[in-house]
Amino acid sequence: MAEIYAIPARVQEGGQQPISTMGAWLEARHRWRNDPSAFWLNITQSTIAWSTEPTVGLNGDYYSVKETPFSWFEDGQLNITESCLDRHVETQPNKTAIIWEGDEPGDVRKISYRDLHGSVCQAANCLSSMGVKSGDRVIIYMGMVPEAAVAMLACARIGAVHSVVFGGFSADALRDRIEDCGASVVITQDEGLRGGRRIPLKATTDDAVSGDSPVSKVLVYQRTKADIGWTEGRDVWWHEAVEASAPVCEATIVPAEHPLFILYTSGSTGRPKGVLHTCGGYITYTSYTHRTVFDLRDDDVYACVADVGWITGHSYIVYGPLANGATTLMFESTPLYPDAGRYWDMVERHKITIFYTAPTAIRALAAHGSDPVRKYDRTSLRVLGTVGEPINPDAWTWYHEVVGEGRCTIVDTWWQTETGGICITPIAPVTPPKPGSATLPLPGIEPVLVDPETQTEIRGPGQGHLCLGYPWPGQARTVYGDHARYISTYFSAYDGLYFTGDGCRRDADGYHWITGRIDDVLNVSGHRMGTAEFEAALVSNNAVAEAAVVGYPHPLKGQGVYAYIVLQDEAMATIEADLNGTVRTAIGAHARVDLFQIVPGLPKTRSGKVMRRILRKVAEGESDKLGDVSTLADPSVVEAIIAGAQT
Ligand code: WTA
């Protein structure tokens, strides 16, 4: 395929048609370029249940966003749960909406669309009885149980705004998020269960809401029946309050741009940002991308093994699949419990047709060889997806050859919390793949590569900073409570473009190869964390004077975390475990520094700025390629750092 931009103009109806040939992809792309608003209005009107259909597509652009968020479908009104539930209850009430696979293999629940609708209405009524109103924020801090999805949809049912916090986060991290969004209710469970380990979700919640907190009610789902602390008047059992509520709850109709959820994500600087997504555009985009990318069919059994605490769980376990009336799987356990065959055991038992996971899981499983895979029947599989980090060609090939028996389509999907849904990806089974490439943009997405030196667009093949040139309905609208931060993070690097923070190469066929973050964001096993968060946690330890954290290539995790530490007291030999304890308390169990180096000082410019470029090179084992060091205030620091390098 040659240059993707040289396509003759052609307008055609029917944006909701599946893309079944590369010609149809080109045609859809062109139809979108010709009139983006008409393209997306056509899709949303034909696929989403609106109370009042929108007549306006996009309002605003990447310049006016500096004053006001852009909007999609602004005169439309809806409640997205009617797209996810009510219309399916009318047409396919007995179809399984959620297959839940618990921590122990074979611990399974199947929930029909009718039952899911009933549970969501009960939970919505329960939240209303606790005083939650449209626009109020509710924190969901749970493991992978169906009730987490019920809680999300229940918020949406009454116009409340959920913020799911991944169950691995610490009490400090949970408290920060509760305070930032001013949540009045937390929904949690007694304990989570993962790989045979118990996760004390209620105890952590108790910690996070102790003292002065905006939280007045804690709704607790009972998962393990563990003994837990209980605060009368504040804590409420799910099985008492929700199950006693009426199973009918009229959906609160809201404007298209009403907020749906806030999801906190790490950036280069400061604390995690509350990325805000809104109702009409998000549901349009997640349902469109879910059915288009995965070639969704009525009888598919679709399994995304992410966690609802991350955007992948929001868009491709809950909202996209349910809007499409699909059967979606929720998985409570880990890929290695009880052994490395767990995913494929599930594929055989549930006859999974579409399977979506992350490169870090694929690499971990490939390290166990092909026997645990071949033990199970995988003939049901048709499409295999990957997301979260660049996939190395070896892992891609193992996924394709061993898991997919060489006959399944692999879709390497590039996107972000901020993009709401998949942006650059093959379309199954149409796009010719190249192992390691996210390939081509979906219709509606305009990748722009910018040369950071010249600040000019690279046309055709080249490598640069990945930006996106035009808004799409699923794009985040703002950072909750801090629009200025949204602008400075995404719209100030390059005028008129959305800056993704990723580097990217485009080859002569127009295929995109994501090279990873170019900012100070780490991607460790697909978990997105800021170097600034690690540094803030490390220096909060009394023994540390200064800290600088960078990433380095790690064979299993993608990136490892490398910390340079200046100690207050050189005698602290057992400091590392202590420091990681501090990190765990501040961020959560998934965050850990892999390598520490005690250094006499950090390499700084004469104006006092830390020269991370040098730290990155040393961490990557490339001390001989430091480049220009003439601006260093004290070159002897660098010599000491190189001498003590850990990689
Ligand atoms: C990275 C996850 C390469 C990228 C949905 C992005 C990827 C960050 C891919 C967003 C992919 C995601 N190939 N890199 N297919 N998918 N990334 O917000 O660096 O948790 O900016 O969203 O993950 O991470 P986030």
Side-chain angles (χ1 to χ4, degrees):
M1 201 168 327
E3 166 62 73
I4 56 173
Y5 299 110
I7 304 157
R10 191 159 152 236
V11 181
Q12 201 177 305
E13 291 301 310
Q16 70 282 13
Q17 298 292 327
I19 292 177
S20 51
T21 60
M22 286 315 282
W25 171 81
L26 281 174
E27 184 279 318
R29 246 183 101 63
H30 206 77
R31 187 155 30 84
W32 160 70
R33 294 189 121 225
N34 227 38
D35 190 343
S37 284
F39 178 85
W40 288 115
L41 275 169
N42 182 2
I43 288 175
T44 199
Q45 287 166 357
S46 56
T47 57
I48 297 302
W50 291 89
S51 289
T52 308
E53 246 183 32
T55 62
V56 182
L58 175 66
N59 198 350
D61 56 35
Y62 286 164
Y63 297 95
S64 64
V65 71
K66 293 180 179 167
E67 278 78 51
T68 337
F70 49 81
S71 69
W72 282 94
F73 317 133
E74 65 176 18
D75 60 343
Q77 304 224 357
L78 81 172
N79 182 294
I80 62 98
T81 66
E82 296 196 323
S83 288
C84 293
L85 300 169
D86 300 63
R87 61 176 172 176
H88 308 310
V89 173
E90 276 173 33
T91 56
Q92 46 176 16
N94 299 321
K95 179 168 178 176
T96 300
I98 296 177
I99 300 176
W100 177 74
E101 166 97 8
D103 197 39
E104 292 303 323
D107 183 9
V108 172
R109 285 165 64 188
K110 291 190 178 171
I111 303 169
S112 68
Y113 271 98
R114 184 197 286 115
D115 290 347
L116 183 62
H117 177 267
S119 301
V120 168
C121 286
Q122 285 183 309
N125 284 327
C126 175
L127 289 174
S128 294
S129 74
M130 292 174 150
V132 177
K133 293 183 293 300
S134 182
D136 288 353
R137 277 80 56 215
V138 172
I139 292 271
I140 300 175
Y141 181 63
M142 300 179 83
M144 286 296 289
V145 290
E147 284 68 21
V150 171
M152 293 162 76
L153 292 159
C155 289
R157 189 78 176 175
I158 58 173
V161 184
H162 62 71
S163 185
V164 183
V165 177
F166 172 59
F169 275 113
S170 67
D172 285 0
L174 179 58
R175 180 191 292 272
D176 285 350
R177 287 155 175 76
I178 290 170
E179 282 173 5
D180 187 81
C181 72
S184 54
V185 170
V186 177
I187 308 179
T188 187
Q189 54 192 75
D190 51 359
E191 289 181 323
L193 210 50
R194 210 160 171 266
R197 285 191 13 252
R198 286 160 178 262
I199 299 141
L201 295 170
K202 174 64 163 62
T204 308
T205 303
D206 287 343
D207 247 11
V209 302
S210 64
D212 200 15
S213 170
V215 171
S216 58
K217 292 281 176 204
V218 177
L219 183 58
V220 188
Y221 172 71
Q222 194 171 42
R223 169 70 181 101
T224 65
K225 300 201 163 70
D227 262 347
I228 51 170
W230 200 257
T231 302
E232 277 315 322
R234 186 198 69 189
D235 297 349
V236 179
W237 279 117
W238 177 287
H239 61 265
E240 290 174 1
V242 172
E243 282 158 33
S245 298
V248 180
C249 170
E250 200 172 318
T252 302
I253 302 303
V254 295
E257 285 294 340
H258 187 77
L260 176 60
F261 66 85
I262 299 164
L263 187 58
Y264 286 86
T265 192
S266 296
S268 291
T269 53
R271 291 184 163 186
K273 298 181 282 294
V275 169
L276 184 92
H277 283 285
T278 58
C279 294
Y282 176 80
I283 202 69
T284 301
Y285 195 68
T286 50
S287 67
Y288 170 75
T289 50
H290 178 250
R291 67 179 173 273
T292 304
V293 172
F294 297 104
D295 177 34
L296 186 72
R297 302 174 190 176
D298 282 346
D299 54 357
D300 270 322
V301 177
Y302 165 85
C304 167
V305 288
D307 191 289
V308 287
W310 309 117
I311 190 70
T312 305
H314 283 62
S315 301
Y316 297 113
I317 294 176
V318 180
Y319 287 114
L322 294 179
N324 289 332
T327 296
T328 181
L329 183 131
M330 289 181 80
F331 179 48
E332 192 181 38
S333 195
T334 80
L336 296 172
Y337 185 77
D339 58 44
R342 181 64 185 274
Y343 281 164
W344 326 120
D345 169 29
M346 284 202 297
V347 167
E348 178 180 299
R349 278 189 285 112
H350 300 300
K351 303 213 170 4
I352 291 167
T353 55
I354 306 173
F355 185 79
Y356 194 23
T357 188
T360 190
I362 298 167
R363 286 192 297 266
L365 292 173
H368 289 262
S370 53
D371 287 353
V373 188
R374 298 218 157 98
K375 229 168 105 184
Y376 298 98
D377 178 19
R378 286 152 289 120
T379 47
S380 58
L381 286 173
R382 191 176 85 247
V383 181
L384 299 172
T386 147
V387 59
E389 13 158 7
I391 180 163
N392 44 312
D394 281 355
W396 193 101
T397 305
W398 187 83
Y399 201 27
H400 185 249
E401 298 305 319
V402 178
V403 176
E405 301 174 311
R407 59 178 175 76
C408 298
T409 305
I410 308 266
V411 288
D412 174 0
T413 64
W414 175 88
W415 59 295
Q416 311 177 293
T417 305
E418 296 87 340
T419 70
I422 298 167
C423 293
I424 304 179
T425 181
I427 294 171
V430 176
T431 313
K434 294 188 188 185
S437 171
T439 75
L440 299 165
L442 285 172
I445 298 297
E446 175 88 330
V448 177
L449 290 192
V450 186
D451 181 332
E453 302 293 314
T454 61
Q455 301 255 320
T456 54
E457 180 178 345
I458 302 165
R459 296 204 166 247
Q463 183 162 343
H465 289 181
L466 177 63
C467 297
L468 301 173
Y470 199 83
W472 61 98
Q475 186 168 17
R477 300 296 194 264
T478 190
V479 168
Y480 183 76
D482 197 351
H483 194 63
R485 193 161 174 214
Y486 173 77
I487 299 306
S488 64
T489 310
Y490 307 113
F491 296 99
S492 59
Y494 302 110
D495 217 28
L497 296 174
Y498 164 75
F499 175 47
T500 66
D502 280 342
C504 178
R505 179 169 69 79
R506 186 162 52 214
D507 70 17
D509 292 325
Y511 274 43
H512 295 81
W513 303 74
I514 309 295
T515 53
R517 302 289 306 194
I518 46 96
D519 54 12
D520 292 318
V521 172
L522 301 168
N523 191 333
V524 181
S525 301
H527 289 147
R528 180 171 159 183
M529 291 180 271
T531 51
E533 289 169 73
F534 271 91
E535 288 163 5
L538 292 169
V539 296
S540 74
N541 186 297
N542 286 338
V544 174
E546 280 189 291
V549 168
V550 294
Y552 71 97
H554 188 287
L556 282 181
K557 299 179 179 183
Q559 266 191 315
V561 181
Y562 194 132
Y564 294 89
I565 302 290
V566 186
L567 285 183
Q568 298 279 23
D569 174 0
E570 291 281 357
M572 297 281 301
T574 54
I575 188 81
E576 292 189 8
D578 196 24
L579 286 175
N580 261 325
T582 312
V583 168
R584 172 188 284 263
T585 310
I587 308 174
H590 58 296
R592 188 175 177 282
V593 174
D594 295 289
L595 295 173
F596 286 90
Q597 181 180 345
I598 308 301
V599 294
L602 295 173
K604 290 187 182 162
T605 59
R606 278 181 279 276
S607 57
K609 201 165 174 303
V610 174
M611 292 180 75
R612 294 177 163 280
R613 177 173 58 79
I614 293 181
L615 298 176
R616 252 184 244 118
K617 283 287 175 208
V618 175
E620 287 165 358
E622 298 193 331
S623 311
D624 53 331
K625 297 187 193 136
L626 294 187
D628 182 11
V629 293
S630 58
T631 54
L632 267 174
D634 177 6
S636 73
V637 166
V638 175
E639 285 158 31
I641 288 176
I642 293 172
Q646 305 289 300
T647 38

